[in-house]
């Protein structure tokens, strides 16, 4: 018997947001790039959107959560994962990562990076 795993993901979702630990970061803002990957056992293959994760929903979740200023990127990632699980309780794994482009610190830094992963207890 075959056992399928399906991945639905968005890569390189570009956003401008006011996240940052320091008050000046929350005033000036920064550019961010988000990757979101979901994995699950397919609910079926009848060519209906209801049988899968809709990446338009994933995009909406990312863009909405990026609007809510947080001190820590980890908080933003946790909120994104929570919304994905709430909308799609059948997902078995969610990985979300965020790059903060050119973080405001000495030196030439391309980006900082934070990743958070969820795996269901099933």
């Amino acid at each position: 018997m075959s056992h399928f795993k399906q991945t639905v993901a968005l890569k390189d979702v570009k956003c401008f947001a006011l996240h940052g630990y320091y008050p000046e970061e929350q005033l000036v803002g920064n550019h961010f790039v988000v990757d979101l990957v979901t994995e699950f056992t397919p609910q079926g293959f009848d060519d209906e959107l209801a049988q899968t994760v809709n990446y338009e929903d994933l995009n909406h979740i990312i863009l909405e959560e990026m609007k809510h200023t947080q001190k820590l990127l980890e908080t933003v990632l946790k909120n994104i994962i929570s919304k994905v699980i709430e909308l799609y309780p059948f997902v078995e794994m969610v990985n979300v990562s965020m790059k903060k482009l050119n973080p405001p610190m000495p030196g030439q830094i391309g980006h900082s990076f934070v990743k958070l992963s969820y795996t269901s207890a099933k």
Side-chain angles (χ1 to χ4, degrees), residues 65-120:
E65 287 305 317
M66 292 300 284
K67 290 179 185 177
H68 304 293
T69 300
Q70 302 290 345
K71 287 182 181 179
L72 297 178
L73 302 182
E74 291 87 335
T75 303
V76 181
L77 300 181
K78 168 68 170 69
N79 292 344
I80 290 170
I81 289 174
S82 295
K83 293 284 171 55
V84 171
I85 295 167
E86 181 181 321
L87 189 58
Y88 296 106
F90 58 85
V91 297
E92 298 162 11
M93 183 277 299
V94 181
N95 284 332
V96 62
S97 61
M98 185 182 309
K99 296 176 186 175
K100 179 186 252 184
L101 304 181
N102 303 305
M105 60 180 94
Q108 292 184 321
I109 302 168
H111 67 268
S112 57
F113 178 84
V114 178
K115 179 179 179 180
L116 190 62
S117 299
Y118 160 85
T119 303
S120 71

